[in-house]
Short mmCIF file of all heavy atoms in Angstrom, two decimals:
data_model
loop_
_atom_site.label_atom_id
_atom_site.label_comp_id
_atom_site.label_asym_id
_atom_site.label_seq_id
_atom_site.Cartn_x
_atom_site.Cartn_y
_atom_site.Cartn_z
N VAL B 237 49.69 236.41 229.33
CA VAL B 237 50.28 237.62 229.93
C VAL B 237 51.74 237.76 229.51
O VAL B 237 52.21 238.86 229.15
CB VAL B 237 50.15 237.57 231.46
CG1 VAL B 237 50.99 238.64 232.12
CG2 VAL B 237 48.69 237.73 231.88
N SER B 238 52.47 236.66 229.54
CA SER B 238 53.89 236.70 229.18
C SER B 238 54.07 237.07 227.71
O SER B 238 54.96 237.87 227.36
CB SER B 238 54.54 235.34 229.45
OG SER B 238 54.42 234.99 230.82
N CYS B 239 53.23 236.50 226.85
CA CYS B 239 53.31 236.81 225.42
C CYS B 239 52.99 238.29 225.18
O CYS B 239 53.63 238.93 224.32
CB CYS B 239 52.34 235.94 224.63
SG CYS B 239 52.83 234.21 224.52
N TYR B 240 52.03 238.83 225.92
CA TYR B 240 51.66 240.23 225.73
C TYR B 240 52.81 241.15 226.13
O TYR B 240 53.14 242.11 225.41
CB TYR B 240 50.41 240.56 226.54
CG TYR B 240 49.79 241.87 226.14
CD1 TYR B 240 48.89 241.93 225.08
CD2 TYR B 240 50.11 243.05 226.79
CE1 TYR B 240 48.32 243.14 224.69
CE2 TYR B 240 49.56 244.26 226.41
CZ TYR B 240 48.67 244.30 225.36
OH TYR B 240 48.13 245.49 224.97
N VAL B 241 53.42 240.87 227.27
CA VAL B 241 54.54 241.70 227.74
C VAL B 241 55.69 241.64 226.73
O VAL B 241 56.27 242.67 226.36
CB VAL B 241 55.02 241.22 229.13
CG1 VAL B 241 56.30 241.94 229.52
CG2 VAL B 241 53.93 241.47 230.16
N ALA B 242 56.01 240.42 226.27
CA ALA B 242 57.11 240.28 225.32
C ALA B 242 56.79 241.00 224.01
O ALA B 242 57.66 241.66 223.41
CB ALA B 242 57.38 238.80 225.06
N GLY B 243 55.52 240.90 223.54
CA GLY B 243 55.13 241.55 222.31
C GLY B 243 55.22 243.06 222.39
O GLY B 243 55.68 243.72 221.45
N ILE B 244 54.79 243.63 223.51
CA ILE B 244 54.86 245.08 223.70
C ILE B 244 56.31 245.56 223.72
O ILE B 244 56.67 246.58 223.10
CB ILE B 244 54.15 245.50 225.01
CG1 ILE B 244 52.63 245.41 224.83
CG2 ILE B 244 54.55 246.90 225.43
CD1 ILE B 244 52.05 246.46 223.92
N GLU B 245 57.17 244.83 224.42
CA GLU B 245 58.58 245.22 224.50
C GLU B 245 59.24 245.16 223.12
O GLU B 245 60.02 246.07 222.75
CB GLU B 245 59.33 244.30 225.47
CG GLU B 245 58.91 244.47 226.92
CD GLU B 245 59.17 245.87 227.45
OE1 GLU B 245 60.19 246.47 227.05
OE2 GLU B 245 58.34 246.36 228.24
N LEU B 246 58.93 244.13 222.34
CA LEU B 246 59.51 244.02 221.01
C LEU B 246 58.97 245.11 220.09
O LEU B 246 59.70 245.65 219.25
CB LEU B 246 59.21 242.64 220.42
CG LEU B 246 59.94 241.46 221.07
CD1 LEU B 246 59.44 240.14 220.50
CD2 LEU B 246 61.44 241.58 220.85
N LEU B 247 57.68 245.45 220.23
CA LEU B 247 57.10 246.52 219.42
C LEU B 247 57.78 247.85 219.69
O LEU B 247 58.11 248.61 218.77
CB LEU B 247 55.60 246.63 219.70
CG LEU B 247 54.88 247.81 219.03
CD1 LEU B 247 54.91 247.66 217.51
CD2 LEU B 247 53.45 247.93 219.54
N HIS B 248 58.03 248.14 220.96
CA HIS B 248 58.65 249.41 221.32
C HIS B 248 60.13 249.46 220.92
O HIS B 248 60.71 250.55 220.82
CB HIS B 248 58.50 249.67 222.82
CG HIS B 248 57.09 249.96 223.22
ND1 HIS B 248 56.66 249.94 224.54
CD2 HIS B 248 56.00 250.28 222.48
CE1 HIS B 248 55.38 250.23 224.57
NE2 HIS B 248 54.96 250.44 223.34
N GLN B 249 60.73 248.31 220.69
CA GLN B 249 62.08 248.30 220.13
C GLN B 249 62.06 248.66 218.65
O GLN B 249 62.99 249.28 218.13
CB GLN B 249 62.72 246.92 220.33
CG GLN B 249 63.05 246.59 221.77
CD GLN B 249 63.63 245.20 221.93
OE1 GLN B 249 64.00 244.55 220.94
NE2 GLN B 249 63.71 244.72 223.16
N LYS B 250 60.97 248.26 217.97
CA LYS B 250 60.82 248.58 216.55
C LYS B 250 60.32 250.01 216.34
O LYS B 250 60.80 250.73 215.46
CB LYS B 250 59.84 247.61 215.89
CG LYS B 250 60.15 246.13 216.10
CD LYS B 250 61.33 245.69 215.28
CE LYS B 250 61.55 244.18 215.42
NZ LYS B 250 62.71 243.71 214.62
N LEU B 251 59.34 250.41 217.14
CA LEU B 251 58.75 251.75 217.03
C LEU B 251 58.98 252.48 218.36
O LEU B 251 58.31 252.20 219.35
CB LEU B 251 57.24 251.65 216.75
CG LEU B 251 56.81 251.00 215.43
CD1 LEU B 251 55.30 250.89 215.36
CD2 LEU B 251 57.35 251.80 214.24
N GLU B 252 59.92 253.37 218.37
CA GLU B 252 60.22 254.10 219.60
C GLU B 252 59.11 255.11 219.90
O GLU B 252 58.53 255.71 218.99
CB GLU B 252 61.56 254.81 219.47
CG GLU B 252 62.75 253.87 219.38
CD GLU B 252 64.06 254.63 219.39
OE1 GLU B 252 64.02 255.86 219.53
OE2 GLU B 252 65.11 253.98 219.26
N LEU B 253 58.83 255.26 221.18
CA LEU B 253 57.80 256.22 221.59
C LEU B 253 58.27 257.64 221.31
O LEU B 253 59.44 257.97 221.53
CB LEU B 253 57.49 256.06 223.07
CG LEU B 253 56.86 254.73 223.52
CD1 LEU B 253 56.65 254.73 225.03
CD2 LEU B 253 55.54 254.50 222.82
N PRO B 254 57.37 258.51 220.82
CA PRO B 254 57.74 259.92 220.62
C PRO B 254 58.11 260.58 221.93
O PRO B 254 57.86 260.07 223.02
CB PRO B 254 56.45 260.52 220.02
CG PRO B 254 55.67 259.37 219.49
CD PRO B 254 56.00 258.22 220.39
N GLU B 255 58.71 261.74 221.82
CA GLU B 255 59.12 262.50 223.00
C GLU B 255 57.91 262.87 223.85
O GLU B 255 56.84 263.21 223.33
CB GLU B 255 59.86 263.77 222.57
CG GLU B 255 60.50 264.53 223.70
CD GLU B 255 61.24 265.74 223.21
OE1 GLU B 255 61.28 265.97 221.97
OE2 GLU B 255 61.78 266.47 224.06
N ASN B 256 58.07 262.78 225.15
CA ASN B 256 57.02 263.11 226.14
C ASN B 256 55.84 262.13 226.13
O ASN B 256 54.81 262.39 226.73
CB ASN B 256 56.47 264.53 225.93
CG ASN B 256 57.54 265.59 226.12
OD1 ASN B 256 58.43 265.43 226.96
ND2 ASN B 256 57.47 266.66 225.34
N VAL B 257 56.00 261.01 225.45
CA VAL B 257 54.95 259.98 225.45
C VAL B 257 55.41 258.82 226.32
O VAL B 257 56.55 258.36 226.21
CB VAL B 257 54.65 259.49 224.02
CG1 VAL B 257 53.66 258.33 224.05
CG2 VAL B 257 54.10 260.63 223.18
N SER B 258 54.55 258.36 227.19
CA SER B 258 54.88 257.23 228.07
C SER B 258 53.79 256.16 227.93
O SER B 258 52.68 256.44 227.48
CB SER B 258 54.98 257.69 229.53
OG SER B 258 53.74 258.22 229.97
N GLY B 259 54.13 254.96 228.33
CA GLY B 259 53.17 253.86 228.26
C GLY B 259 53.22 253.03 229.52
O GLY B 259 54.25 252.95 230.20
N GLU B 260 52.10 252.41 229.84
CA GLU B 260 52.04 251.55 231.03
C GLU B 260 50.95 250.51 230.82
O GLU B 260 50.01 250.70 230.04
CB GLU B 260 51.73 252.38 232.27
CG GLU B 260 50.41 253.12 232.22
CD GLU B 260 50.18 254.00 233.43
OE1 GLU B 260 51.14 254.25 234.18
OE2 GLU B 260 49.03 254.42 233.62
N PHE B 261 51.09 249.39 231.53
CA PHE B 261 50.08 248.34 231.45
C PHE B 261 48.84 248.80 232.22
O PHE B 261 48.93 249.37 233.30
CB PHE B 261 50.62 247.03 232.03
CG PHE B 261 51.72 246.44 231.20
CD1 PHE B 261 53.06 246.59 231.56
CD2 PHE B 261 51.43 245.74 230.05
CE1 PHE B 261 54.07 246.06 230.79
CE2 PHE B 261 52.44 245.19 229.26
CZ PHE B 261 53.76 245.36 229.63
N GLY B 262 47.67 248.52 231.62
CA GLY B 262 46.41 249.00 232.19
C GLY B 262 45.74 247.99 233.10
O GLY B 262 46.26 246.89 233.35
#
Side-chain angles (χ1 to χ4, degrees):
V237 168
S238 301
C239 288
Y240 194 86
V241 172
I244 286 290
E245 292 299 324
L246 290 174
L247 174 65
H248 290 166
Q249 291 177 12
K250 307 287 184 180
L251 297 175
E252 293 186 3
L253 295 179
E255 188 178 358
N256 298 326
V257 175
S258 61
E260 60 184 14
F261 293 100

